[in-house]
Amino acid sequence: MKSSAKVWVVIGVSVVGIVVVAETLRRRRKLKSSGVIDFNAFVERFELLPFPQPPPPAARQPLADLTFAIKDIFDVKGYVTGFGSPEWKRTHLEAEETAVIVTLLLKNGATCIGKTIMDELSFGITGENKHYGTPVNPQMPSHIPGGSSSGSAVAVAAELVDFALGTDTIGCVRIPASFCGILGYRPSHGTVCTNGVLPNSQTLDTVGLLARSPSTLHHVGHVLLQLNAVEPRRSRCLIFADDLFQLSKVPKLKTVHVISKAVESLSGYQPPKHMNFGQYIASNVSSLKGFSDESTNLEKGTAALGALSSVMVSLQRYEFKTNYEEWVKSVKPRLGANVSDRVLEAINTTQDNMKILYKVRTEMRLALQSLLKDDGILVIPTVADSPLELNTKKKYSAEFHNRAYVLSSIASMSGCCEVAIPLGKHDGHPISSCHIYDNLQQQVNIASNSVSLADTNGDVDASQLLKEKGNAAFKGGQWNKAVNYYSEAIKLNGTIATYYANRAAAYLELQCFQQAEEDCSEAISLDKKNVKAYLRRGTAREALLCYKEALQDFRHALVLEPQNKAANLAEKRLRKLIR
């Protein structure tokens, strides 16, 4: 009986696989007959071969024989990073280096076959692009694929590649994953190196991963996060956000039933819990009280999350303005109508007190840490709505965007990781659920040893001037702009420890703790007596829950400056935590 059961399982899986492949091939033939090639997923085709395989008896590289595509936001040496915009491409030069994360995948055996279409300037969630066309959703060709990582999601769903990289700011990987019926993974903020990736909003941006199979997602995720091959098994507890499922058009009982059944046979899962997540946020993120969400027309009980999503959008606009205001005003680019409206809103945005936006993010992060601890997995819908039809004004409605932003804001504003998991279809539309948890910060040690750019002109005075501009921006609370100035100073002269230490201070304000830690380590390698670098690295490591390492940094600072009050207080605080 056991062998018979195994045979039927194999046959069942095989038959399902044949049906899926046959349907994909049928759609591909139909698209080609209409002049659309490869689901219009790619903006540029090329081949980046993997690094040489190690000779036997060494083990094969973990991603050998896998192919991947990258969103047109990642740098590739010798190619202009297009940012989804012909105007951007026209006004920029070829990249001098390949993005660190792309190089990491090549080193581990994967082959890159091209760049994918995206929403222009990564400013959208529908997946459309006026200039390059809209990638065709393989699940529902007459509906939007979701964005802004639309081409990457379509390339995976259409089986053109094994996996793809995108970026996720306010749902830009999770939404297209849900609409195209595949897996989408947004890592915890700061855990994957973003060197060589164009920013939209650094406080919210993450590199994201899309795949069809859990096995591929698992293997590629371990490479991206530099995790150990075997992680300790932990007990888990599912927490269903009942009020958020009221936003979804999929019946809550159906989703809860499917997920509960899926984990019944797995060991280590506690009985699931249920909660009103909006009420929890309202009680634990006090700084949200100053924001109004009257225009969102949300369901009862989600007012706090409506406010949270408005903070997320304000933060994105402010940081986009900091990054690209000069380019927009000087180039006056011709953008798609809806993108143009959003860009103008961002450029014209004013925020009297930016600190309150970052305060909301800090409180949200702490609230999720307190709720989930080491074992909690929050279960929510990925999106509230099904994929909308192409060429309909409904997809541009405020209601569609507001409902999407409410669900996306939870991970974006807390910095937690989130996995969009497809659960089949409801009324003919793909549906998915998201699992969010906050324990990856302790497990991650991403290697981001990027090659410093050479000093092209030896102009030390210019780098000092950029550092001073960075200092002025920092004092004015313009931390993204400060990061940009310090980065330019480092490009001119990468041998000054202060530049890295100062950029780390700006990263700390933005809660980009991984980047801050890396900058401080670089500063310390250049200057072993840089007290500020030890203090800032200790602060970053404490935020990443690496308490022992943080304690060592604060003790090192005390060796250099025995009377340093900040180091002394931190050392006492951490000693109590580690006991």
Side-chain angles (χ1 to χ4, degrees):
M1 289 298 292
K2 288 184 179 180
S3 61
S4 175
K6 289 181 181 178
V7 170
W8 279 110
V9 169
V10 171
I11 292 174
V13 172
S14 299
V15 170
V16 171
I18 291 169
V19 171
V20 171
V21 171
E23 178 65 9
T24 302
L25 291 173
R26 184 188 68 78
R27 290 174 179 169
R28 190 173 298 172
R29 286 195 296 268
K30 183 178 178 181
L31 288 168
K32 285 188 176 181
S33 66
S34 64
V36 178
I37 300 174
D38 283 347
F39 293 79
N40 198 43
F42 289 89
V43 68
E44 193 168 13
R45 283 276 205 167
F46 51 76
E47 187 175 61
L48 301 179
L49 295 175
F51 284 39
Q53 290 269 340
R60 280 166 54 84
Q61 292 168 320
L63 306 183
D65 301 327
L66 294 182
T67 60
F68 71 102
I70 57 176
K71 185 177 182 177
D72 191 21
I73 200 170
F74 292 85
D75 285 346
V76 173
K77 185 177 181 178
Y79 293 85
V80 179
T81 306
F83 213 6
S85 167
E87 294 283 75
W88 179 272
K89 193 169 186 177
R90 176 179 62 83
T91 55
H92 288 80
L93 301 175
E94 296 176 353
E96 296 182 7
E97 300 289 342
T98 297
V100 169
I101 204 65
V102 176
T103 302
L104 181 64
L105 294 172
L106 297 175
K107 285 181 177 178
N108 281 272
T111 300
C112 180
I113 66 169
K115 289 192 175 187
T116 56
I117 291 174
M118 56 181 279
D119 283 77
E120 206 168 359
L121 306 182
S122 200
F123 232 127
I125 60 172
T126 65
E128 298 166 298
N129 189 299
K130 169 189 173 183
H131 309 285
Y132 301 118
T134 301
V136 180
N137 187 335
Q139 292 278 347
M140 306 181 70
S142 61
H143 291 66
I144 60 174
S148 63
S149 304
S150 53
S152 291
V154 166
V156 171
E159 301 185 17
L160 305 176
V161 291
D162 296 302
F163 68 93
L165 293 184
T167 56
D168 191 305
T169 304
I170 56 173
C172 313
V173 160
R174 292 163 284 167
I175 292 172
S178 178
F179 284 178
C180 293
I182 59 175
L183 292 157
Y185 173 48
R186 172 196 163 94
S188 300
H189 186 266
T191 57
V192 177
C193 181
T194 56
N195 290 352
V197 185
L198 289 175
N200 180 285
S201 169
Q202 287 95 321
T203 299
L204 306 172
D205 290 342
T206 58
V207 171
L209 174 61
L210 297 136
R212 287 186 305 280
S213 77
S215 175
T216 301
L217 190 77
H218 174 82
H219 285 99
V220 180
H222 267 244
V223 170
L224 292 183
L225 298 171
Q226 296 288 277
L227 297 177
N228 296 326
V230 178
E231 293 296 327
R233 296 181 68 86
R234 290 187 173 91
S235 174
R236 294 292 187 193
C237 178
L238 297 181
I239 304 172
F240 288 92
D242 291 340
D243 54 323
L244 297 185
F245 281 98
Q246 294 174 12
L247 290 174
S248 174
K249 294 182 178 179
V250 181
K252 184 191 80 172
L253 290 177
K254 179 178 180 179
T255 305
V256 172
H257 175 76
V258 169
I259 296 174
S260 298
K261 282 292 183 183
V263 300
E264 269 184 6
S265 60
L266 300 178
S267 62
Y269 277 83
Q270 304 169 24
K273 298 178 181 178
H274 295 264
M275 69 177 300
N276 185 305
F277 189 73
Q279 290 180 4
Y280 176 81
I281 294 304
S283 301
N284 289 274
V285 186
S286 58
S287 53
L288 279 175
K289 294 176 182 177
F291 294 89
S292 171
D293 64 329
E294 296 174 359
S295 63
T296 58
N297 298 319
L298 296 171
E299 299 287 343
K300 184 179 179 181
T302 57
L305 292 176
L308 182 70
S309 67
S310 70
V311 172
M312 176 184 73
V313 172
S314 295
L315 190 55
Q316 182 200 25
R317 288 175 179 171
Y318 172 79
E319 294 189 340
F320 183 90
K321 175 180 179 177
T322 302
N323 292 326
Y324 301 115
E325 181 178 18
E326 293 179 9
W327 178 78
V328 171
K329 288 184 174 179
S330 62
V331 174
K332 297 179 175 59
R334 290 171 294 176
L335 306 171
N338 290 285
V339 175
S340 180
D341 291 343
R342 291 192 177 88
V343 168
L344 287 176
E345 287 174 356
I347 298 303
N348 295 326
T349 191
T350 56
Q351 184 61 245
D352 296 330
N353 186 4
M354 275 303 302
K355 287 188 176 181
I356 189 65
L357 301 184
Y358 292 102
K359 184 178 180 182
V360 169
R361 188 177 185 277
T362 299
E363 290 184 2
M364 183 66 184
R365 181 173 181 269
L366 293 173
L368 263 291
Q369 282 184 344
S370 177
L371 172 67
L372 302 179
K373 299 183 175 63
D374 286 334
D375 63 349
I377 300 176
L378 182 66
V379 184
I380 65 173
T382 308
V383 290
D385 297 281
S386 303
L388 299 175
E389 290 188 21
L390 292 163
N391 305 316
T392 174
K393 291 183 178 179
K394 188 177 180 181
K395 62 180 173 290
Y396 301 123
S397 69
E399 182 183 3
F400 171 76
H401 282 83
N402 288 335
R403 286 162 62 85
Y405 291 159
V406 163
L407 294 168
S408 296
S409 66
I410 297 168
S412 292
M413 289 298 292
S414 68
C416 290
C417 68
E418 180 172 332
V419 184
I421 302 174
L423 299 179
K425 291 188 176 183
H426 177 71
D427 291 339
H429 298 88
I431 59 174
S432 72
S433 176
C434 280
H435 293 56
I436 304 174
Y437 53 97
D438 192 43
N439 68 334
L440 286 183
Q441 296 282 9
Q442 302 174 61
Q443 304 172 23
V444 173
N445 184 19
I446 184 74
S448 59
N449 299 319
S450 57
V451 180
S452 300
L453 294 177
D455 185 350
T456 54
N457 56 12
D459 193 346
V460 178
D461 291 337
S463 67
Q464 288 286 346
L465 179 61
L466 286 165
K467 184 204 76 171
E468 294 304 323
K469 286 185 176 182
N471 292 348
F474 184 91
K475 290 177 182 177
Q478 296 179 306
W479 299 304
N480 272 297
K481 186 169 283 189
V483 166
N484 291 339
Y485 281 131
Y486 294 138
S487 297
E488 290 302 314
I490 289 169
K491 286 180 182 179
L492 290 178
N493 190 347
T495 64
I496 306 297
T498 302
Y499 297 173
Y500 291 98
N502 286 9
R503 189 169 68 175
Y507 275 137
L508 286 176
E509 294 290 346
L510 293 169
Q511 299 181 31
C512 297
F513 302 117
Q514 192 76 27
Q515 290 94 326
E517 182 188 19
E518 291 166 1
D519 270 354
C520 290
S521 295
E522 185 64 31
I524 291 167
S525 72
L526 294 168
D527 179 7
K528 296 291 191 295
K529 296 183 179 181
N530 193 313
V531 175
K532 289 182 178 179
Y534 283 109
L535 289 172
R536 290 165 187 169
R537 189 170 71 175
T539 302
R541 286 176 167 176
E542 183 177 358
L544 292 170
L545 309 182
C546 299
Y547 296 136
K548 289 183 179 179
E549 293 84 351
L551 179 60
Q552 290 174 359
D553 279 336
F554 289 124
R555 283 176 173 170
H556 208 119
L558 284 172
V559 170
L560 296 170
E561 281 187 12
Q563 304 304 317
N564 190 294
K565 292 182 180 179
N568 191 33
L569 289 172
E571 196 266 348
K572 290 179 180 178
R573 179 177 65 250
L574 286 168
R575 268 196 290 114
K576 292 179 181 179
L577 284 173
I578 295 172
R579 282 176 185 172

